Amino acid sequence: MNTPLEDQVHDGLHRRVDPLQHAPLSITDVRRRAGRIQRRRRTVAGLAVAAVLAIAIPMGLSATGPGQRSDVPPATQTPSPSPQVASGTIKVDAQSAEVIEEAPVPLLDVDGPTLITADGTYDLPHDFSTVTPYLDGWAGVAVYDEADKSGAFMEFLGPDLQVDDAGGPTGGLVVRPDGGRIAWSEYDGTQWQVVVADPTGGQEWVYTRFAPSAQDEPVIPLGFVSDDTVAVRATYNIGDPKTFVAGGGQPVEVSGLVQADAASAGVVAGITEIRPEGTCFGVVDAAGSGDPSWTTCDRRLGPFSATGRYVVGARAESDGDGTPDITVLDAATGKEVVTFEAALPRRTVGGFWTQMTWVGDEALVARLWVGDKSYMMRLGLDGSVQRIGIASAGLSGLAVAVPS
């Protein structure tokens, strides 16, 4: 079941933009989805799949083993000067796709719970929705659903993946694409603050403190807009979100968006207008006037690729099940580049449902539901479709460790 904080955030954010709005997914959400999908399949088989892509906080990081924290590698690989990019619509069939045995990004086995990286698999002390290298260990968002502790909390793990330091309630954790900075929000009992940190420990933490507010009015990091500043969504008054840039000193408000959903170098994307006939989305300059550089009323925007060259678009209409296709757009112009469409058997519910992350500018790693089964897919902008053939411990399956 959802925690009270999750319910309040979810309800408040939905108040103005239903049915398009959504709250970030928790491990509890993933488990509930896995447990109920078989029951839903019986009742809705034969219906067309409506769509929503749960575009959650932050940017992807390619993790390494704990022993390599003194030289944290980039999260993504630099694309070739003239990478091959497909066009049109690419069918994504999990059964016929090429199988790769190594994950291109770190993954979480939800039912383990374990962290899966290129260097090995690590047992986690409990549920985490995000885990990234920090010092000689890890930093992450721990998810609790207990009588005396419920919600998302910052925690810092040692090289043995045991909790060394526990922080307060958090709205999420994001990572700069090159891995050189991480940022998270935290509630100190009276106000929310955003912390920007060097994961190697080379520099002191930088704090941005927000006006006093309630814990259930979280500040949610979205992504880095410069080397040391991060865009955030502040949910003041539950249902009236505002966008800020944080990097020390006072938060700087960004205009032009009804609600921000994603961020990249110099820009923020989100809802620009809510009209009777539908909702529109666009990209604004994080330091400019707030006038969108382009808009679309067909696709909800959300995560940017590592360099900010591309942005994902999901179908704007939704009912919470999963989007049958996702489109990669040119982030500078909004022009469609390539669409990935789920190949679903007749009378089968499914689609791209949960968080995803970018592998540089060259590919997406996304979860695909087909009936009651989930698959982690690598979708290359060159048109390649691969299934990550790593077994999971239970029905909940795998999730990306640092969703974009």
Side-chain angles (χ1 to χ4, degrees), residues 11 56 78 139 182 193 276 308 323 328 385:
D11 293 343
T78 302
I182 64 175
Q193 58 188 8
T323 178
V328 175
V385 174

Side-chain angles (χ1 to χ4, degrees), residues 290-321:
D291 294 329
S293 57
W294 57 269
T295 61
T296 175
C297 300
D298 298 322
R299 295 276 172 179
R300 179 164 191 154
L301 302 180
F304 288 89
S305 63
T307 67
R309 181 175 182 179
Y310 302 111
V311 63
V312 173
R315 291 208 189 172
E317 71 276 8
S318 73
D319 71 355
D321 268 329

Side-chain angles (χ1 to χ4, degrees), residues 73-97:
T76 56
Q77 300 297 318
T78 302
S80 58
S82 301
Q84 180 182 356
V85 178
S87 61
T89 298
I90 308 297
K91 288 285 188 178
V92 179
D93 187 336
Q95 293 301 318
S96 64

Side-chain angles (χ1 to χ4, degrees), residues 65-67 69 122 134-138 156-162 164:
R69 287 318 167 272
Y122 305 92
Y134 181 75
L135 300 181
D136 60 349
W138 312 82
F156 298 89
L157 310 178
D160 58 355
L161 276 93
Q162 296 304 303
D164 281 351

Side-chain angles (χ1 to χ4, degrees), residues 87-178:
S87 61
T89 298
I90 308 297
K91 288 285 188 178
V92 179
D93 187 336
Q95 293 301 318
S96 64
E98 174 192 1
V99 178
I100 55 175
E101 300 298 333
E102 184 172 300
V105 296
L107 300 174
L108 291 171
D109 188 341
V110 176
D111 292 325
T114 54
L115 171 66
I116 302 167
T117 76
D119 294 328
T121 298
Y122 305 92
D123 292 329
L124 295 170
H126 44 251
D127 288 340
F128 281 80
S129 63
T130 308
V131 181
T132 190
Y134 181 75
L135 300 181
D136 60 349
W138 312 82
V141 177
V143 181
Y144 290 89
D145 190 13
E146 302 171 0
D148 60 341
K149 189 174 186 180
S150 183
F153 294 80
M154 278 300 302
E155 287 189 348
F156 298 89
L157 310 178
D160 58 355
L161 276 93
Q162 296 304 303
V163 179
D164 281 351
D165 190 17
T170 182
L173 167 72
V174 296
V175 181
R176 204 173 72 188
D178 66 357

